[in-house]
């Protein structure tokens, strides 16, 4: 029987879309405030806000297009997607640009003159697609050692590529995504214990051999000896002061003393929660966390109701990506974790991050649409 096609917006997951839009609008307001004091005469918005506006708009359009394509088609294109992402990472490795003067070794951006793009953000989406398909292919014998080894190799490829470009923060996100997706694929707990032991040994060895050095080493050490590394903790210390000074309801939008004076470096990006905390108070900061939590739970709920294992694993990967980025960013801002340059999803000014998050959400909305009713999509198998 021929399937009837409905409109472009038929069967759309409005909960995911509206929650993401709410987060982006809130994020734009926070980025505007963070960069408000840097507005030049006659300017309405800064380049950070303009870049975020473009990336959010582009991301929404991309998400709406992707959600009309059956996610099964997307998953079957994993070799092309993986090859494209790896190719971009190799180009970045040789021609990448460092945008942070404090980290000249982190050449993880491609400069297209009109805009710069962080290729590791797109690699996250590519990894979710390819690894979900890989996990689904071996689901019936996933706990055999000869199955686990190729899975580990698959997971280590993007991590190695990202580390090679000097982006250790993103490498950590990939590691946690890899572990999280294995967990949701129901890999036996014994492998996780062995993996954690291997990671611990590897970290200690890298520390002893001085492989972890320079700024990275200082930022980790500073958490344990803050009085000896006041300069290293300057950003995080001032960030905590800003959040604490806001109290319950904040000092008022565009009126945060530390936000507007620039005492919290990079507060439009890595430290965006400090803007919400100082100007809108604990309530404003909590609203950020609530929006992201609702979005993550929605993505996970869609995965649990997916029509097949690939859809479930894709949504699980997206949820893990959002959760780990949120957890690490907030941990950084509260000095619970070292500052490693991880953006807060949808809220930070990073255009590459926002664009690729909407791309990932487009895949989640495709799972929602096709699992709910396969007749409500424009493209299907």
């Amino acid at each position: 029987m021929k399937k009837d096609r409905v409109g472009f917006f038929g069967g759309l997951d409005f909960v995911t879309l509206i929650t993401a839009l709410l987060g982006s609008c809130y994020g734009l307001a926070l980025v505007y405030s963070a960069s408000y004091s840097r507005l030049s005469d006659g300017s309405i918005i800064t380049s950070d806000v303009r870049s975020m506006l473009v990336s959010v708009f582009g991301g929404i359009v991309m998400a709406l297009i992707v959600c009309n394509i059956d996610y099964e088609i997307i998953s079957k294109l994993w070799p092309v997607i993986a090859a494209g992402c790896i190719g971009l990472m190799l180009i970045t490795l040789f021609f990448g640009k460092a945008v942070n003067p404090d980290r000249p070794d982190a050449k993880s951006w491609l400069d297209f003159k009109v805009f710069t793009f962080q290729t590791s953000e797109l690699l996250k989406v590519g990894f979710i697609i390819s690894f979900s398909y890989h996990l689904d292919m071996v689901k019936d014998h996933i706990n055999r050692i000869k199955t686990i080894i190729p899975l580990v190799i698959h997971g280590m490829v993007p991590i190695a590529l990202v580390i090679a470009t000097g982006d250790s923060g993103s490498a950590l996100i990939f590691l946690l995504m890899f572990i999280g997706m294995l967990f949701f694929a129901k890999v036996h707990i014994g492998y996780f214990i062995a993996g954690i032991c291997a990671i611990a040994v590897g970290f200690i060895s890298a520390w002893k051999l001085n492989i972890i050095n320079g700024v990275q080493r200082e930022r980790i050490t500073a958490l344990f000896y803050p009085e000896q590394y006041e300069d290293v903790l300057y950003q995080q210390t001032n960030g905590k002061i800003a959040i604490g000074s806001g109290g319950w309801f904040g000092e008022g939008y565009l009126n945060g003393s530390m936000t507007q004076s620039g005492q919290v470096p990079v507060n439009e990006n890595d430290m965006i929660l400090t803007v919400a905390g100082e100007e809108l108070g604990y309530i404003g900061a909590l609203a950020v966390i609530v929006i992201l939590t609702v979005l993550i739970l929605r993505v996970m709920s869609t995965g649990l109701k997916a029509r097949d294992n690939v859809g479930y694993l894709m949504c699980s990967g997206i949820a893990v990506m959002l959760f780990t980025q949120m957890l690490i960013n907030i941990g950084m801002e509260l000095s619970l974790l070292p500052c490693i340059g991880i953006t807060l999803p949808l809220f930070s000014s990073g255009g590459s991050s926002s664009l690729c998050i909407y791309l990932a959400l487009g895949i989640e909305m495709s799972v929602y649409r096709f699992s709910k009713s396969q007749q409500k999509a424009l493209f299907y198998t």
Side-chain angles (χ1 to χ4, degrees):
M1 181 181 293
K2 184 179 179 180
K3 297 179 182 178
D4 297 325
R5 299 187 184 187
V6 298
F8 189 81
F9 296 99
L12 186 63
D13 183 0
F14 285 102
V15 174
T16 292
L17 184 60
I18 291 172
T19 304
L21 283 173
L22 182 61
S24 291
C25 289
Y26 192 3
L28 278 163
L30 295 177
V31 172
Y32 178 80
S33 179
S35 57
Y36 181 71
S37 61
R38 301 197 302 271
L39 273 174
S40 56
D41 293 339
S43 298
I44 300 175
I45 58 175
T46 61
S47 59
D48 290 316
V49 178
R50 183 168 56 250
S51 173
M52 191 172 178
L53 275 170
V54 172
S55 64
V56 169
F57 177 77
I60 292 169
V61 172
M62 198 159 48
L64 290 175
I65 293 172
V66 169
C67 78
N68 276 282
I69 304 172
D70 192 333
Y71 66 92
E72 188 176 342
I73 295 176
I74 297 172
S75 70
K76 289 179 179 178
L77 290 173
W78 73 266
V80 177
I81 294 170
C85 289
I86 291 174
L88 276 176
M89 289 302 298
L90 291 175
I91 293 172
T92 305
L93 181 60
F94 293 104
F95 303 104
K97 175 184 177 182
V99 297
N100 186 349
D102 295 329
R103 289 292 311 280
D105 60 314
K107 298 179 179 180
S108 53
W109 299 76
L110 285 180
D111 187 357
F112 293 98
K113 302 304 179 183
V114 179
F115 64 93
T116 56
F117 185 78
Q118 188 173 10
T119 50
S120 61
E121 296 295 336
L122 186 59
L123 183 63
K124 290 175 187 175
V125 182
F127 174 70
I128 289 170
I129 294 169
S130 65
F131 200 52
S132 295
Y133 195 85
H134 189 168
L135 287 168
D136 181 64
M137 285 195 302
V138 299
K139 63 183 178 182
D140 295 330
H141 45 88
I142 196 166
N143 285 309
R144 296 178 184 174
I145 189 65
K146 64 180 182 180
T147 300
I148 293 295
I149 291 174
L151 287 173
V152 171
I153 294 172
H154 190 154
M156 292 305 106
V157 168
I159 294 174
L161 287 170
V162 172
I163 289 176
T165 63
D167 189 0
S168 57
S170 292
L172 177 60
I173 297 297
F174 275 101
L175 176 62
L176 295 175
M177 287 169 58
F178 168 68
I179 294 172
M181 292 181 72
L182 287 178
F183 174 80
F184 284 111
K186 300 179 177 61
V187 170
H188 192 275
I189 189 67
Y191 288 113
F192 290 103
I193 295 174
I196 291 171
C197 291
I199 292 170
V201 171
F203 178 81
I204 293 171
S205 299
W207 188 271
K208 293 288 187 181
L209 296 172
N210 230 24
I211 296 173
I212 301 175
N213 52 33
V215 175
Q216 297 171 335
R217 192 181 188 93
E218 288 182 349
R219 286 176 176 175
I220 296 172
T221 307
L223 296 179
F224 301 97
Y225 304 98
E227 67 285 348
Q228 298 178 26
Y229 291 88
E230 292 181 2
D231 292 344
V232 176
L233 290 174
Y234 174 82
Q235 180 186 34
Q236 290 167 290
T237 299
N238 280 14
K240 287 190 296 182
I241 294 172
I243 293 174
S245 65
W248 281 103
F249 302 103
E251 298 178 5
Y253 185 62
L254 300 180
N255 290 317
S257 56
M258 298 188 74
T259 294
Q260 300 307 322
S261 63
Q263 293 183 62
V264 183
V266 203
N267 61 350
E268 78 283 355
N269 199 306
D270 299 349
M271 307 296 285
I272 194 67
L273 191 66
T274 66
V275 181
E278 182 180 35
E279 297 193 341
L280 303 173
Y282 297 140
I283 299 301
L286 182 61
V288 172
I289 298 172
V290 169
I291 290 170
L292 286 173
T293 300
V294 170
L295 182 62
I296 292 166
L297 291 176
R298 178 63 176 185
V299 172
M300 201 64 242
S301 174
T302 298
L304 291 171
K305 297 175 183 177
R307 75 183 187 206
D308 56 24
N309 193 47
V310 170
Y312 161 72
L313 289 169
M314 281 184 169
C315 289
S316 298
I318 295 166
V320 171
M321 177 184 72
L322 294 172
F323 176 74
T324 52
Q325 287 195 209
M326 180 182 75
L327 188 68
I328 292 175
N329 179 274
I330 294 174
M332 281 167 31
E333 300 200 46
L334 298 178
S335 294
L336 299 174
L337 294 171
C339 193
I340 54 175
I342 298 299
T343 57
L344 189 62
L346 299 178
F347 288 88
S348 294
S349 65
S352 304
S353 175
S354 293
L355 193 68
C356 293
I357 285 172
Y358 273 104
L359 176 60
L361 292 178
I363 295 172
E364 180 273 336
M365 290 191 288
S366 173
V367 175
Y368 174 88
R369 168 173 276 170
F370 278 87
S371 297
K372 184 177 181 181
S373 174
Q374 294 182 47
Q375 296 180 4
K376 293 185 177 181
L378 299 178
F379 306 102
Y380 43 78
T381 54

